[in-house]
Amino acid sequence: MKELFRSPFLATMSYQMSDIWSILILAAPFVATLIAFVFLIEQITYLKKKSVAPGPTLVLPFLGNVVGLIRNPEKFWDDQADYAKSSPLGISVNYIIGKFMVFTRDSEMSHKIFANVRPDAFQLVGHPFGKKLFGEHNMINLYGQEHKDLRRRIAPNFTPKALATYSDIQQIVILKHLTRWVENNESNPVALRLMARDMNLETSQTVFVGPYLDKEERDEFKVDYNYFNVGVLALPIDLPGFAFRNARLAVDRLVKRLTRCVKESKEKMVEDEEPTCLVDYWMQGLVNEARELEQPLQSPSPSPPPPNCSNHEIGAHIFDFLFAAQDASTSALLWAVTLLDSHPKVLKKVREEVESIWKFDSNKLITPEQLVSMKYTQAVAREVVRCRAPATLVPHMVHQDFQLAENFTIPKGAIVFPSVYESSFQGFTEADRFDPDRFYLEERREDQIYKRNYLVFGSGTHHCVGQRYALNLLVIFIAMFTTLIDFKRHRSEGCDDLNFCPTICPKDDCLVSLSKRCANFPVLSLP
C-alpha cells in the first residue's frame, strides 16, 4: 500500500525538480549577464575614483582586496607603500569591502588630513568599522568646540602630579611581572608578546581605574579585551558566533564596568579624597568645575552633566584610552627589547646611564626627576617608536570630496590611511638605522629638524593626549628591564618581520631567554 501512495508523490517531485532545473538553465545567462554588469559598473566606478593614482587595476566586486589584507597585512601595506613610491603623488589606492581607500606615505599630506578633521572634510575613525565596534560615545567622533571642551576636561589627567602617580603604579606592576617572567622562564626561551600584553593590561587597569576593579572583574576584563583584540582584525560580520560580534559585545561589557568605576570615583572625589588613578584626577576636575559653577554633582536633583561627561560617556572615553595605551605600549616594549638586543652598544650605554641615576638596591622608586634626567634612555624610547611606530596607520573617513593634491581628489565616502610608519622614515639621517643619538646629541637635533615627519603621536586637534604617559611607561620599562634582567633574543629567519596584532610586533612574538642580572630584585611600594 505504501508504494501506491509514494509513487505519485515521487513522480510529482520529479516533475517539479525538472521544472526548477529548466528555469535555472533558462535564467543562467540572464544571471551571468547581471553579475557581469554589476562587476563592470563597480570596476568603472573604482577606476573613475582611482584617476591618476597608482593601485591595482582590477578588484573583486564588493570584497575588493580585503582577503589579502586579512591574510597578510604586512604584504598588503608594503604593496600600498610601493605603489605610493612609484608616483610623485606619494599616494596609492585600493578597494576593501565596498569602500574605496587611499593610502598616503607623504608627511605633508598626512598633516593636511590631520589638520582637516571637521564635519565637511575628514573624520578620524581609528578602525574602518570603528563606530560600530567602539560605540557612539567615542572621543574620536567629536569635532570643534565639543572636542576642545572634552580635551580641556581631560587635561588634569596628565599634569606632572598625575604622571608621577602613574609612574609609581607602573613601576610596581612592571616589577611584579618582571619577577614572574624570570622565575617562570629562566630555563627556557619565552615569547614575550602575550606576557607583555598581560603586564600592560594590568598597568592600564591600575593606572586608569585603580581600586575600582576587584580580581574577578580584572580577570573578566582580560577575557573581554581579548575578544576585542581578535575582533579588531576580523571580517566585520555582526552575526552571532563571529569574532566581530563577540568583540562588539565585549566592548559593551567593558564600558559598563568602566562606567561603574566612574560613578564610584566621582563619589570618592566629592568627599575630597586624594586621587590615586586617572579616573580620580578626571572626576576631581569635574567636581571642582561643578563647584565653581555652584552646581554640586551630588544633590537630590543634580544639574545635567556637561556634554560628553555622563558616567557612561566617560566610561567609553576611558575605554578609548585603554585601547590607545594597551596595544601600542605592548608593541613599543617588544620592539625595545628587539632593538636593544641587536644593538649591544646602545644597551650598554642605557645600563650605564640608569645605574648612575637609580640605585635599585635602595628599594626606592624611580622619581620623576630621575626619569627626566635619563636623557639617553629617553632618546632610545623615542627612537624605538620612530623606527617601529606601533599604530602604523590612522584611518579617516572622508565626508565630502577633498582635494588632496592638485590632480587628485579623494571622493566622498572613501577611507584614507595616512601612514605614520612610512612618514617616520622620511628626512631623518640614515632613517633605516636605529640611532638614538639623533634625539640625544645637541648638534644633531633631528627631533626638531624633522619634526614634521615624526607623526608617531599624530598631529592636529586629535594628536595623542597621552603622549607623555606613553613615553614615560616605555622609559620606565627600558630602565627596569635592562637593569634587572639579562636577555638574549633567539633569532630566526624573518623573526623581525612585522606582525599586525592589531599594532605591530616582531613575527616571532619576541622570543628571548631571560635571567636575573641582580642578586635580588628590589622591593618597591607606593608612597
Side-chain angles (χ1 to χ4, degrees), residues 339-350:
L339 292 166
L340 286 170
D341 173 80
S342 58
H343 295 82
K345 290 182 180 179
V346 175
L347 175 59
K348 182 175 182 290
K349 195 168 179 178
V350 167

Side-chain angles (χ1 to χ4, degrees), residues 357 366-375 378 472 475:
I357 296 170
I366 301 171
T367 66
E369 294 74 24
Q370 289 174 321
L371 198 61
V372 170
S373 65
M374 295 178 184
K375 300 292 186 184
Q378 297 269 358
N472 280 357
V475 173

Side-chain angles (χ1 to χ4, degrees), residues 99 121-125 128 143 395-400 413-416:
K99 290 284 186 182
F122 297 100
Q123 179 183 346
L124 176 64
V125 294
Y143 302 99
H396 288 67
M397 188 73 72
V398 186
H399 287 308
Q400 299 292 338
I415 299 178
V416 58

Side-chain angles (χ1 to χ4, degrees), residues 7 58 110 116 209 223 252 271 294 345 399 412 436 456 481:
S7 297
L58 296 176
S110 294
N116 285 281
V209 291
V223 171
D252 290 343
E271 299 300 321
E294 297 182 349
K345 290 182 180 179
H399 287 308
K412 176 183 177 180
V456 175
F481 184 80

Side-chain angles (χ1 to χ4, degrees), residues 213-350:
L213 289 176
D214 60 29
K215 185 181 183 307
E216 182 179 351
E217 288 174 316
R218 285 173 182 264
D219 290 341
E220 292 171 351
F221 206 104
K222 179 179 175 180
V223 171
D224 278 335
Y225 196 84
N226 187 58
Y227 278 130
F228 167 75
N229 253 354
V230 173
V232 165
L233 296 174
L235 286 171
I237 302 174
D238 194 9
L239 294 172
F242 285 86
F244 188 84
R245 167 66 67 89
N246 291 339
R248 188 176 63 77
L249 296 177
V251 170
D252 290 343
R253 292 191 294 270
L254 290 167
V255 170
K256 186 176 180 180
R257 290 191 191 96
L258 293 171
T259 300
R260 181 186 55 74
C261 295
V262 172
K263 178 178 180 295
E264 293 179 9
S265 172
K266 190 179 292 182
E267 292 169 352
K268 182 179 172 183
M269 292 302 101
V270 165
E271 299 300 321
D272 293 322
E273 295 190 34
E274 195 66 23
T276 60
C277 60
L278 182 145
V279 71
D280 283 350
Y281 282 102
W282 196 334
M283 293 307 99
Q284 186 183 62
L286 275 183
V287 168
N288 291 339
E289 181 181 349
R291 283 172 177 164
E292 289 173 7
L293 297 172
E294 297 182 349
Q295 294 177 352
L297 292 176
Q298 299 296 321
S299 66
S301 54
S303 301
N308 300 295
C309 290
S310 70
N311 292 350
H312 179 73
E313 287 168 329
I314 292 174
H317 298 327
I318 292 175
F319 178 75
D320 295 343
F321 285 0
L322 183 76
F323 173 61
Q326 167 67 19
D327 296 297
S329 291
T330 299
S331 170
L333 268 53
L334 296 175
W335 287 114
V337 173
T338 298
L339 292 166
L340 286 170
D341 173 80
S342 58
H343 295 82
K345 290 182 180 179
V346 175
L347 175 59
K348 182 175 182 290
K349 195 168 179 178
V350 167

Side-chain angles (χ1 to χ4, degrees), residues 317-507:
H317 298 327
I318 292 175
F319 178 75
D320 295 343
F321 285 0
L322 183 76
F323 173 61
Q326 167 67 19
D327 296 297
S329 291
T330 299
S331 170
L333 268 53
L334 296 175
W335 287 114
V337 173
T338 298
L339 292 166
L340 286 170
D341 173 80
S342 58
H343 295 82
K345 290 182 180 179
V346 175
L347 175 59
K348 182 175 182 290
K349 195 168 179 178
V350 167
R351 283 173 166 161
E352 288 173 349
E353 178 182 72
V354 173
E355 289 168 8
S356 71
I357 296 170
W358 176 56
K359 309 300 181 185
F360 69 87
D361 53 2
S362 68
N363 294 327
K364 291 182 179 179
L365 294 162
I366 301 171
T367 66
E369 294 74 24
Q370 289 174 321
L371 198 61
V372 170
S373 65
M374 295 178 184
K375 300 292 186 184
Y376 187 73
T377 310
Q378 297 269 358
V380 169
R382 297 189 67 188
E383 178 69 346
V384 167
V385 295
R386 184 199 69 84
C387 286
R388 293 292 181 268
T392 58
L393 302 147
V394 188
H396 288 67
M397 188 73 72
V398 186
H399 287 308
Q400 299 292 338
D401 290 357
F402 187 89
Q403 187 170 351
L404 189 63
E406 185 177 347
N407 58 343
F408 184 78
T409 297
I410 305 177
K412 176 183 177 180
I415 299 178
V416 58
F417 291 88
S419 176
V420 300
Y421 183 88
E422 289 289 324
S423 180
S424 293
F425 290 96
Q426 296 174 35
F428 292 96
T429 307
E430 294 183 87
D432 290 335
R433 184 166 165 251
F434 179 69
D435 181 13
D437 281 345
R438 72 177 80 248
F439 296 131
Y440 179 66
L441 297 178
E442 184 62 29
E443 61 268 27
R444 292 184 62 175
R445 296 175 57 250
E446 291 190 28
D447 54 333
Q448 296 301 314
I449 297 171
Y450 304 114
K451 187 176 181 179
R452 297 284 291 179
N453 297 332
Y454 193 79
L455 290 173
V456 175
F457 297 101
S459 179
T461 57
H462 281 266
H463 71 274
C464 178
V465 70
Q467 175 177 345
R468 189 69 260 165
Y469 169 88
L471 285 173
N472 280 357
L473 175 62
L474 183 54
V475 173
I476 288 169
F477 174 81
I478 291 172
M480 297 182 73
F481 184 80
T482 58
T483 302
L484 303 176
I485 291 179
D486 274 321
F487 60 99
K488 182 173 178 55
R489 186 92 186 283
H490 284 254
R491 296 193 168 273
S492 57
E493 185 178 352
C495 66
D496 288 347
D497 291 348
L498 306 187
N499 183 31
F500 288 76
C501 54
T503 50
I504 57 170
C505 72
K507 203 79 166 183

